[in-house]
Structures are given as C-alpha cells and as structure tokens.
Amino acid sequence: MQNITDIIEAYLKQILHDEKTIEIKRQEIAQRFDCVPSQINYVINTRFTVEKGYFVESKRGGGGYIRIQKIVVLDSHDLLDEVSSWIGDHLTEQAAEDYLIRLMNEQLLTRREAILIQSLLQKESLPMAVEDQHRMRAHLMRTLLQTMKRL
Amino acid sequence: MQNITDIIEAYLKQILHDEKTIEIKRQEIAQRFDCVPSQINYVINTRFTVEKGYFVESKRGGGGYIRIQKIVVLDSHDLLDEVSSWIGDHLTEQAAEDYLIRLMNEQLLTRREAILIQSLLQKESLPMAVEDQHRMRAHLMRTLLQTMKRL
DNA sequence: ACCTCTCTGACCATCTTTGACTATTGTTTG
DNA sequence: CAAACAATAGTCAAAGATGGTCAGAGAGGT
C-alpha cells in the first residue's frame, strides 16, 4: 500500500465513509498527493466504477469538479435487477468479482457464498474461448441473480 | 538445508508461525537472499501450495506484492477429496444435485449455498451440447470442491 | 549415467505513473 | 455578442514497476 493510487483511494473512501457524496478538484488532490492530475483519473477509473458501487460526475472549465457518490440502493430486489441490467451479454472476471463484492457489501451474499461463486466464474473454471467465457459468465451471473430473488 | 529454497522457506514459515498472513515484495526478498526474483516463485510453487495448506495471492505492477496465508484445514477435507474422485469427467444434473445434498447433509454446505450452486449447474445455465454440459458440470463441481477445501 | 530437485535468466503479463495533447466550460475583451 | 483567453477535466500511449512462466543449466543423490 505505498503506491499513490491506493493511498488516494483510501483517502477518498475514508471521506465517503461518512459523507454520501464527495466533490473534489482534480488539481487540488493531485497537488496534495504530489502527483500528476491524470493520476486522479486513473484512481477513479479503476477504484470508483459502477461495478464497485460508485457514480461519478464531473465538469470541466472554471469551477470544475469531480463528484463521487456512493450508489445507495434501498431494496435488495431492485439491486438484483439493477445489477442484472448492468451485466449485459458479456462479463469479465474482474467485473464479476466487483459485483460479488458489491452484493456482499449489501449483505445479499455471505463472504463464503461470494468466494464459492467467484471460483465458478473465474476463467479457469470456464474452459472455452475468451469471448465465450464472457458470454457464459454473464449468463451464469444473471441466473444467479434470478435465483437469489427467490431466496 | 543449505540450499536457498529451504532457507527462504524457513524464513517465511518462521514469520507465518506468528502471523497468519505475510505480504512480501518479490524483489526485496530476492535481494535479501541474493538470488534471482523468479527463485521466489519457485519457493512458493514448491513449498506454499494449496496441498501444503497455503493460499497465495499476488499483484503485479507498482505497489505489487505476494501475499501468503495459512489455511485452516477442515477435517472434512477427506470427504471433499472423495467426492472429487467420484465425479470423473462427466456429471449429470441429477448426480450433481445428489452430491450437493450429500454435502449439505454433511453440513459442508448450507441450504442456501446448495441452491445457488445448483442453479448454476442446471442445464438451463449451461447453454451447450449435452455432452459438453456434462463435462462442464463436472469441471465446475470439482472447482467448487477445491475451493471449499480452503474455506 | 540417470533422475530429481534447484537455480537462473530471458521474455511475458499486468498494474501504475507520467505527460503531451485534447475537450469543455467560464471569463474577459474588442 | 463573438472571439480570445483562462481554468479545468479527459484521453491515451509510453515508460516504469512489479510479479509470472518456462526451458535449460547446475547440483546432489542412487
């Protein structure tokens, strides 16, 4: 955890732990952590994705900003449908993992369940061409979500 | 015990004697013991395998690491191996269900876990020729059993 | 000699960091 | 008001920083 990305991620998440939304100035954060501004984009693109449960907006120009919001879903049924709709026809291993973590955070899956499922969705478990893997993984994930709705 | 592999193994295990997890930088350890970095991979691949009771994760790139965890071994290990050996290369939906029920009866799976897994192993979840389905199902089931051994 | 385990290094894969260039929005000037 | 200018943020590809793989050389035992 000595790389800047992780440090900035931790900083932002620590604030988001209390606040629901955080609004930053890219340049300011870059200066505070002594890195180039585009580093902030990297942090956001890799750590604050929709899969991980964040919604990001920004504006350029004078008074510009980057706003990060935790996505709050009230009803678990809705979350399952929503995740289902996000998935589409293709799903990478990383995205699948992010969704599982998300479901875990929302207490819709136990840690153990998430691990078991993740092991079935990893590429080693899907012996086929990468394209087909992604299709298959999406299919399995959707099946899972549907099943969860009935439990 | 004069070869580097054994020395590094001993060093890591000594730490793992107190800590449950250890996180190292490959390059750093290589330097400390004056060997090439890939030597560390050799040590890990031969001395810290799942069979020997360790779980290893790693990350590349800046801030990369190798993390080794001791796994708590269940006494149900044998049953999992046994079921694993029964499965073979092909597994029908019915057989899979039977195995899941068996694991449930042995309290190695909760009812909910069994249902979730069953939904992923049913034929509707495996859109492919029946022959391939059976192969795929066997593969997934074996993966599952392996994963359960580390939980 | 032969076999197995160890060790090494060249090459590969993945994640992070940086910076030049681009795009957008707000402000000032002619 | 339109054009220039200023202030932001975004993109992308290259460089940097790690760890992974694999085949072949080396070492030790039978």
Side-chain angles (χ1 to χ4, degrees), chain B residues 71-83:
Chain B
I71 359 184
V72 184
V73 182
L74 303 170
D75 51 9
S76 49
H77 230 119
D78 291 346
L79 174 59
L80 294 174
D81 278 337
E82 198 162 331
V83 172

mmCIF file with all atom_site columns, all heavy atoms in Angstrom, chain B residues 71-83:
data_model
loop_
_atom_site.group_PDB
_atom_site.id
_atom_site.type_symbol
_atom_site.label_atom_id
_atom_site.label_alt_id
_atom_site.label_comp_id
_atom_site.label_asym_id
_atom_site.label_entity_id
_atom_site.label_seq_id
_atom_site.pdbx_PDB_ins_code
_atom_site.Cartn_x
_atom_site.Cartn_y
_atom_site.Cartn_z
_atom_site.occupancy
_atom_site.B_iso_or_equiv
_atom_site.pdbx_formal_charge
_atom_site.auth_seq_id
_atom_site.auth_comp_id
_atom_site.auth_asym_id
_atom_site.auth_atom_id
_atom_site.pdbx_PDB_model_num
ATOM 1   N N   . ILE B 1 71 ? -3.866  -21.702 5.511  1.00 0.00 ? 71 ILE B N   1
ATOM 2   C CA  . ILE B 1 71 ? -5.289  -22.022 5.505  1.00 0.00 ? 71 ILE B CA  1
ATOM 3   C C   . ILE B 1 71 ? -5.601  -22.951 6.647  1.00 0.00 ? 71 ILE B C   1
ATOM 4   O O   . ILE B 1 71 ? -4.802  -23.792 7.011  1.00 0.00 ? 71 ILE B O   1
ATOM 5   C CB  . ILE B 1 71 ? -5.758  -22.747 4.226  1.00 0.00 ? 71 ILE B CB  1
ATOM 6   C CG1 . ILE B 1 71 ? -4.643  -22.963 3.241  1.00 0.00 ? 71 ILE B CG1 1
ATOM 7   C CG2 . ILE B 1 71 ? -6.863  -22.012 3.571  1.00 0.00 ? 71 ILE B CG2 1
ATOM 8   C CD1 . ILE B 1 71 ? -5.129  -23.592 1.969  1.00 0.00 ? 71 ILE B CD1 1
ATOM 9   N N   . VAL B 1 72 ? -6.768  -22.751 7.156  1.00 0.00 ? 72 VAL B N   1
ATOM 10  C CA  . VAL B 1 72 ? -7.228  -23.616 8.228  1.00 0.00 ? 72 VAL B CA  1
ATOM 11  C C   . VAL B 1 72 ? -7.816  -24.849 7.563  1.00 0.00 ? 72 VAL B C   1
ATOM 12  O O   . VAL B 1 72 ? -8.705  -24.758 6.741  1.00 0.00 ? 72 VAL B O   1
ATOM 13  C CB  . VAL B 1 72 ? -8.315  -22.913 9.057  1.00 0.00 ? 72 VAL B CB  1
ATOM 14  C CG1 . VAL B 1 72 ? -8.704  -23.792 10.220 1.00 0.00 ? 72 VAL B CG1 1
ATOM 15  C CG2 . VAL B 1 72 ? -7.813  -21.563 9.502  1.00 0.00 ? 72 VAL B CG2 1
ATOM 16  N N   . VAL B 1 73 ? -7.268  -25.952 7.906  1.00 0.00 ? 73 VAL B N   1
ATOM 17  C CA  . VAL B 1 73 ? -7.722  -27.175 7.261  1.00 0.00 ? 73 VAL B CA  1
ATOM 18  C C   . VAL B 1 73 ? -8.871  -27.807 8.028  1.00 0.00 ? 73 VAL B C   1
ATOM 19  O O   . VAL B 1 73 ? -8.817  -27.966 9.237  1.00 0.00 ? 73 VAL B O   1
ATOM 20  C CB  . VAL B 1 73 ? -6.568  -28.187 7.164  1.00 0.00 ? 73 VAL B CB  1
ATOM 21  C CG1 . VAL B 1 73 ? -7.048  -29.433 6.444  1.00 0.00 ? 73 VAL B CG1 1
ATOM 22  C CG2 . VAL B 1 73 ? -5.406  -27.552 6.440  1.00 0.00 ? 73 VAL B CG2 1
ATOM 23  N N   . LEU B 1 74 ? -9.901  -28.124 7.285  1.00 0.00 ? 74 LEU B N   1
ATOM 24  C CA  . LEU B 1 74 ? -11.067 -28.746 7.910  1.00 0.00 ? 74 LEU B CA  1
ATOM 25  C C   . LEU B 1 74 ? -10.858 -30.248 7.953  1.00 0.00 ? 74 LEU B C   1
ATOM 26  O O   . LEU B 1 74 ? -10.157 -30.811 7.136  1.00 0.00 ? 74 LEU B O   1
ATOM 27  C CB  . LEU B 1 74 ? -12.311 -28.445 7.080  1.00 0.00 ? 74 LEU B CB  1
ATOM 28  C CG  . LEU B 1 74 ? -12.619 -26.979 6.841  1.00 0.00 ? 74 LEU B CG  1
ATOM 29  C CD1 . LEU B 1 74 ? -13.722 -26.864 5.811  1.00 0.00 ? 74 LEU B CD1 1
ATOM 30  C CD2 . LEU B 1 74 ? -13.018 -26.326 8.142  1.00 0.00 ? 74 LEU B CD2 1
ATOM 31  N N   . ASP B 1 75 ? -11.528 -30.896 8.874  1.00 0.00 ? 75 ASP B N   1
ATOM 32  C CA  . ASP B 1 75 ? -11.387 -32.341 8.928  1.00 0.00 ? 75 ASP B CA  1
ATOM 33  C C   . ASP B 1 75 ? -12.260 -32.998 7.858  1.00 0.00 ? 75 ASP B C   1
ATOM 34  O O   . ASP B 1 75 ? -12.247 -34.183 7.644  1.00 0.00 ? 75 ASP B O   1
ATOM 35  C CB  . ASP B 1 75 ? -11.739 -32.878 10.315 1.00 0.00 ? 75 ASP B CB  1
ATOM 36  C CG  . ASP B 1 75 ? -13.095 -32.356 10.767 1.00 0.00 ? 75 ASP B CG  1
ATOM 37  O OD1 . ASP B 1 75 ? -13.779 -31.745 9.943  1.00 0.00 ? 75 ASP B OD1 1
ATOM 38  O OD2 . ASP B 1 75 ? -13.447 -32.564 11.933 1.00 0.00 ? 75 ASP B OD2 1
ATOM 39  N N   . SER B 1 76 ? -13.021 -32.144 7.188  1.00 0.00 ? 76 SER B N   1
ATOM 40  C CA  . SER B 1 76 ? -13.897 -32.651 6.145  1.00 0.00 ? 76 SER B CA  1
ATOM 41  C C   . SER B 1 76 ? -13.176 -32.744 4.810  1.00 0.00 ? 76 SER B C   1
ATOM 42  O O   . SER B 1 76 ? -13.734 -33.130 3.802  1.00 0.00 ? 76 SER B O   1
ATOM 43  C CB  . SER B 1 76 ? -15.088 -31.730 6.002  1.00 0.00 ? 76 SER B CB  1
ATOM 44  O OG  . SER B 1 76 ? -14.628 -30.409 5.908  1.00 0.00 ? 76 SER B OG  1
ATOM 45  N N   . HIS B 1 77 ? -11.914 -32.356 4.859  1.00 0.00 ? 77 HIS B N   1
ATOM 46  C CA  . HIS B 1 77 ? -11.053 -32.398 3.693  1.00 0.00 ? 77 HIS B CA  1
ATOM 47  C C   . HIS B 1 77 ? -11.203 -33.700 2.906  1.00 0.00 ? 77 HIS B C   1
ATOM 48  O O   . HIS B 1 77 ? -11.340 -33.715 1.702  1.00 0.00 ? 77 HIS B O   1
ATOM 49  C CB  . HIS B 1 77 ? -9.605  -32.294 4.164  1.00 0.00 ? 77 HIS B CB  1
ATOM 50  C CG  . HIS B 1 77 ? -8.860  -31.253 3.405  1.00 0.00 ? 77 HIS B CG  1
ATOM 51  N ND1 . HIS B 1 77 ? -8.304  -30.162 4.004  1.00 0.00 ? 77 HIS B ND1 1
ATOM 52  C CD2 . HIS B 1 77 ? -8.600  -31.130 2.106  1.00 0.00 ? 77 HIS B CD2 1
ATOM 53  C CE1 . HIS B 1 77 ? -7.723  -29.418 3.096  1.00 0.00 ? 77 HIS B CE1 1
ATOM 54  N NE2 . HIS B 1 77 ? -7.884  -29.984 1.939  1.00 0.00 ? 77 HIS B NE2 1
ATOM 55  N N   . ASP B 1 78 ? -11.181 -34.769 3.648  1.00 0.00 ? 78 ASP B N   1
ATOM 56  C CA  . ASP B 1 78 ? -11.215 -36.078 3.021  1.00 0.00 ? 78 ASP B CA  1
ATOM 57  C C   . ASP B 1 78 ? -12.490 -36.299 2.224  1.00 0.00 ? 78 ASP B C   1
ATOM 58  O O   . ASP B 1 78 ? -12.455 -36.834 1.131  1.00 0.00 ? 78 ASP B O   1
ATOM 59  C CB  . ASP B 1 78 ? -11.092 -37.165 4.092  1.00 0.00 ? 78 ASP B CB  1
ATOM 60  C CG  . ASP B 1 78 ? -9.704  -37.154 4.685  1.00 0.00 ? 78 ASP B CG  1
ATOM 61  O OD1 . ASP B 1 78 ? -8.828  -36.511 4.070  1.00 0.00 ? 78 ASP B OD1 1
ATOM 62  O OD2 . ASP B 1 78 ? -9.502  -37.769 5.741  1.00 0.00 ? 78 ASP B OD2 1
ATOM 63  N N   . LEU B 1 79 ? -13.585 -35.862 2.787  1.00 0.00 ? 79 LEU B N   1
ATOM 64  C CA  . LEU B 1 79 ? -14.849 -36.061 2.092  1.00 0.00 ? 79 LEU B CA  1
ATOM 65  C C   . LEU B 1 79 ? -14.831 -35.314 0.763  1.00 0.00 ? 79 LEU B C   1
ATOM 66  O O   . LEU B 1 79 ? -15.255 -35.831 -0.270 1.00 0.00 ? 79 LEU B O   1
ATOM 67  C CB  . LEU B 1 79 ? -16.023 -35.563 2.944  1.00 0.00 ? 79 LEU B CB  1
ATOM 68  C CG  . LEU B 1 79 ? -17.365 -35.604 2.215  1.00 0.00 ? 79 LEU B CG  1
ATOM 69  C CD1 . LEU B 1 79 ? -17.692 -37.025 1.776  1.00 0.00 ? 79 LEU B CD1 1
ATOM 70  C CD2 . LEU B 1 79 ? -18.482 -35.051 3.087  1.00 0.00 ? 79 LEU B CD2 1
ATOM 71  N N   . LEU B 1 80 ? -14.302 -34.094 0.808  1.00 0.00 ? 80 LEU B N   1
ATOM 72  C CA  . LEU B 1 80 ? -14.256 -33.300 -0.411 1.00 0.00 ? 80 LEU B CA  1
ATOM 73  C C   . LEU B 1 80 ? -13.403 -33.993 -1.468 1.00 0.00 ? 80 LEU B C   1
ATOM 74  O O   . LEU B 1 80 ? -13.773 -34.057 -2.642 1.00 0.00 ? 80 LEU B O   1
ATOM 75  C CB  . LEU B 1 80 ? -13.716 -31.902 -0.097 1.00 0.00 ? 80 LEU B CB  1
ATOM 76  C CG  . LEU B 1 80 ? -14.640 -31.082 0.806  1.00 0.00 ? 80 LEU B CG  1
ATOM 77  C CD1 . LEU B 1 80 ? -13.987 -29.765 1.192  1.00 0.00 ? 80 LEU B CD1 1
ATOM 78  C CD2 . LEU B 1 80 ? -15.965 -30.808 0.115  1.00 0.00 ? 80 LEU B CD2 1
ATOM 79  N N   . ASP B 1 81 ? -12.276 -34.513 -1.052 1.00 0.00 ? 81 ASP B N   1
ATOM 80  C CA  . ASP B 1 81 ? -11.421 -35.228 -1.995 1.00 0.00 ? 81 ASP B CA  1
ATOM 81  C C   . ASP B 1 81 ? -12.134 -36.460 -2.529 1.00 0.00 ? 81 ASP B C   1
ATOM 82  O O   . ASP B 1 81 ? -12.048 -36.788 -3.700 1.00 0.00 ? 81 ASP B O   1
ATOM 83  C CB  . ASP B 1 81 ? -10.119 -35.657 -1.305 1.00 0.00 ? 81 ASP B CB  1
ATOM 84  C CG  . ASP B 1 81 ? -9.121  -34.512 -1.267 1.00 0.00 ? 81 ASP B CG  1
ATOM 85  O OD1 . ASP B 1 81 ? -9.240  -33.607 -2.118 1.00 0.00 ? 81 ASP B OD1 1
ATOM 86  O OD2 . ASP B 1 81 ? -8.241  -34.520 -0.399 1.00 0.00 ? 81 ASP B OD2 1
ATOM 87  N N   . GLU B 1 82 ? -12.846 -37.101 -1.634 1.00 0.00 ? 82 GLU B N   1
ATOM 88  C CA  . GLU B 1 82 ? -13.515 -38.324 -2.017 1.00 0.00 ? 82 GLU B CA  1
ATOM 89  C C   . GLU B 1 82 ? -14.587 -38.038 -3.065 1.00 0.00 ? 82 GLU B C   1
ATOM 90  O O   . GLU B 1 82 ? -14.645 -38.673 -4.116 1.00 0.00 ? 82 GLU B O   1
ATOM 91  C CB  . GLU B 1 82 ? -14.143 -38.957 -0.781 1.00 0.00 ? 82 GLU B CB  1
ATOM 92  C CG  . GLU B 1 82 ? -14.485 -40.408 -0.987 1.00 0.00 ? 82 GLU B CG  1
ATOM 93  C CD  . GLU B 1 82 ? -14.680 -41.114 0.341  1.00 0.00 ? 82 GLU B CD  1
ATOM 94  O OE1 . GLU B 1 82 ? -14.052 -40.692 1.331  1.00 0.00 ? 82 GLU B OE1 1
ATOM 95  O OE2 . GLU B 1 82 ? -15.469 -42.074 0.377  1.00 0.00 ? 82 GLU B OE2 1
ATOM 96  N N   . VAL B 1 83 ? -15.409 -37.056 -2.777 1.00 0.00 ? 83 VAL B N   1
ATOM 97  C CA  . VAL B 1 83 ? -16.451 -36.681 -3.736 1.00 0.00 ? 83 VAL B CA  1
ATOM 98  C C   . VAL B 1 83 ? -15.786 -36.299 -5.053 1.00 0.00 ? 83 VAL B C   1
ATOM 99  O O   . VAL B 1 83 ? -16.219 -36.693 -6.128 1.00 0.00 ? 83 VAL B O   1
ATOM 100 C CB  . VAL B 1 83 ? -17.286 -35.503 -3.209 1.00 0.00 ? 83 VAL B CB  1
ATOM 101 C CG1 . VAL B 1 83 ? -18.235 -34.999 -4.288 1.00 0.00 ? 83 VAL B CG1 1
ATOM 102 C CG2 . VAL B 1 83 ? -18.088 -35.932 -1.995 1.00 0.00 ? 83 VAL B CG2 1
#
